[in-house]
Each structure stands twice: as structure tokens, then as C-alpha cells.
Amino acid sequence: MTLETVGFWVVAVVLLASSLAVVLTPNLFHAVLYLAAALVATGVVFLLLDQPFLFAVQLLLYAGGVVTIVVFAIMLTERLVGERLVQTSRHLVNGAIVSAAVFVGIAGFLIRSPLDGARPAQSADVTAAIGRALFGPFAITLELLGVLLVVALLGALHFARSEE
Amino acid sequence: MIGLSAYLTLAALVFSIGLFGVLTRRNAVGILLGIELMLNAVNINLVAFARFSGNVTGLVFTLFTIAITVAEVAVGLAIVIAIFRVRRTVEADRLDLLRG
């Protein structure tokens, strides 16, 4: 058992448990906290795949940004309604059947695919390679992404502004 | 050694759990959390494929996915708050203003 094997199984258990808690816990606030745990676990998966830069981005944007926004939204809606938001679920059996069927479909595809093959050696500085790709062949996409973020920010401001 | 299929299976499991959340949650914020899980599973797939093929494009697309997700969450939650002001509820089943 190498360190990577142990780490993978520990992270897999944590990720799956916190994901299940996100969709099953009745308290919405707890669900967000479990989502933060799941996002950090995903970041550790990136770390296991030798991508420390993506781990940092995951922590900054997902676990830092998204979770904060969702917590703010829950606090605002709770303050507006004056009662705790308890989220109930519906169609539990149907949802379980559909998602299990989707998983079986993906797993069947995985089993039939020739996926074995050792992990190639990581190139020396992958972060620099990402940066060169971002500002080389993907420069226009990056600029469009900046426009998208500005539009999303303005749209969010427009939707959430008060009437007066 | 953990192979590519282990990472892909883990991502498929997380994707299915997120889909279950989207299908079963009544609360609109809960549905958004499920979508977050599904997008996260996609990111695991992208990074795993990029790592095992030695191609940097998957990592770039992971960055794009993360940024787009942040924009999606901001707009989605703003819509949830706006709907909440009008209808006093965020239960998806009762948001049927556009029903003919």
C-alpha cells in the first residue's frame, strides 16, 4: 500500500460520505457545510493527481467563494421569512432509481473501455504549462470568460437589488 | 497504484449522488447544491483524463468550468432571492408562475 493508495481511499470515503450528507441532511445550512467538505475532498483528489495549482484554485473559488455565497443566500432568505429553512425531499425512490441507473450506465461504459495504462511522468512545471495554454491557444476563451463573469456579476446585482 | 478507472468511478458516484439531490430536493438552494456536486464530478473526470493522458488542455478546461460554476451560482442564488421576495417560498414545486 503506497501513500497514494491509502490517500485515495481515505479521500474517496470522505468525498462520498459528505456528498451523501449534502443530498440527505434535512438542515440546509448543514448541507452547505457538508458541501464545503466535499469540495475540499475534491481538491485533495486534484492533489493526488499532482495538480497543486488546481487544488489552490478549488479552495479559493469553490470552498471559499461558492460556499460563502450560498451561506449568505440562506441567511438572507431565512431573515426574510423569519423561520428556519428546512428542506424536505420528495420522490426519494424514483430519484434513487434514476441516479442508480445513470451510475450503472457510466460504470458499464467504464468496464468496456480500455482504460488500463500507467500514469505517465508528470512534466516538470505543469502550472507554467497551464499558464502558457491559457494565454496562448485559449486566450480568446479566457477573455470571453472574463466578459461572462462581468455579465454574471451585473445580472446577479440586477436580480437581487431591492426595489427602491 | 490507483488507475484511471478508479478516479472515473469515484467521479461517476459523486455525479449520481448529485443527480439524486437535484431530483429529490424541494428547496431551490438544495437543487443548486446538487448541481454543484455534479459539476465537481465533471472536474474530477477532466483532471484525471488530463493527468493520465499527459495533456494540459483538460486542466485548462477545469479552470474554465470552475469559473463558469461560480458565475452560475451567483446568478442562480440571485434569482432565488428575487423569487423569494415575490413568492415568499423557494420550494421548486410551488414556483409555477409560468404554467399555462
Side-chain angles (χ1 to χ4, degrees):
Chain A
M1 294 274 273
T2 61
L3 188 64
E4 193 219 344
T5 316
V6 178
F8 176 80
W9 288 112
V10 170
V11 169
V13 168
V14 170
L15 179 54
L16 291 178
S18 46
S19 303
L20 276 174
V22 169
V23 297
L24 290 178
T25 179
N27 187 325
L28 195 57
F29 194 75
H30 290 173
V32 179
L33 296 183
Y34 284 123
L35 180 75
L39 296 175
V40 172
T42 310
V44 179
V45 172
F46 294 167
L47 213 51
L48 286 174
L49 287 162
D50 309 319
Q51 310 298 340
F53 177 66
L54 283 178
F55 171 69
V57 170
Q58 174 90 1
L59 281 193
L60 276 174
L61 282 184
Y62 258 117
V66 170
V67 170
T68 314
I69 297 174
V70 179
V71 167
F72 263 112
I74 292 173
M75 284 175 167
L76 281 177
T77 45
E78 278 196 352
R79 189 178 60 84
L80 286 174
V81 78
E83 63 189 46
R84 297 203 68 78
L85 281 179
V86 175
Q87 58 169 357
T88 48
S89 299
R90 40 115 205 241
H91 308 317
L92 279 179
V93 179
N94 293 356
I97 290 173
V98 170
S99 41
V102 167
F103 174 72
V104 168
I106 301 174
F109 186 74
L110 283 180
I111 288 172
R112 281 186 282 114
S113 311
L115 283 175
D116 45 309
R119 181 195 290 221
Q122 173 88 311
S123 57
D125 196 353
V126 74
T127 307
I130 292 175
R132 271 192 291 272
L134 271 180
F135 288 96
F138 294 104
I140 293 176
T141 324
L142 187 75
E143 299 297 329
L144 286 176
L145 203 63
V147 174
L148 173 77
L149 283 175
V150 172
V151 169
L153 196 66
L154 292 177
L157 276 174
H158 171 78
F159 280 127
R161 82 188 191 290
S162 51
E163 292 305 315
E164 60 270 10
Chain B
M1 208 58 185
I2 301 293
L4 175 57
S5 54
Y7 286 102
L8 298 184
T9 311
L10 177 65
L13 275 170
V14 175
F15 186 87
S16 308
I17 293 172
L19 179 66
F20 175 78
V22 172
L23 290 175
T24 57
R25 282 305 200 195
R26 282 183 197 277
N27 192 311
V29 180
I31 295 175
L32 274 177
L33 297 187
I35 295 175
E36 290 302 305
L37 280 181
M38 292 168 76
L39 286 163
N40 223 30
V42 173
N43 282 345
I44 295 178
N45 263 4
L46 281 172
V47 176
F49 274 122
R51 179 65 187 88
F52 279 85
S53 71
N55 193 335
V56 82
T57 309
L59 307 176
V60 175
F61 269 89
T62 309
L63 288 177
F64 290 161
T65 319
I66 291 174
I68 289 173
T69 309
V70 172
E72 171 247 323
V73 169
V75 175
L77 287 174
I79 292 174
V80 166
I81 291 175
I83 288 176
F84 190 84
R85 285 216 183 93
V86 179
R87 301 295 303 260
R88 314 303 296 174
T89 181
V90 285
E91 277 194 21
D93 287 347
R94 290 167 62 190
L95 304 177
D96 50 4
L97 271 174
L98 291 181
R99 177 177 289 175

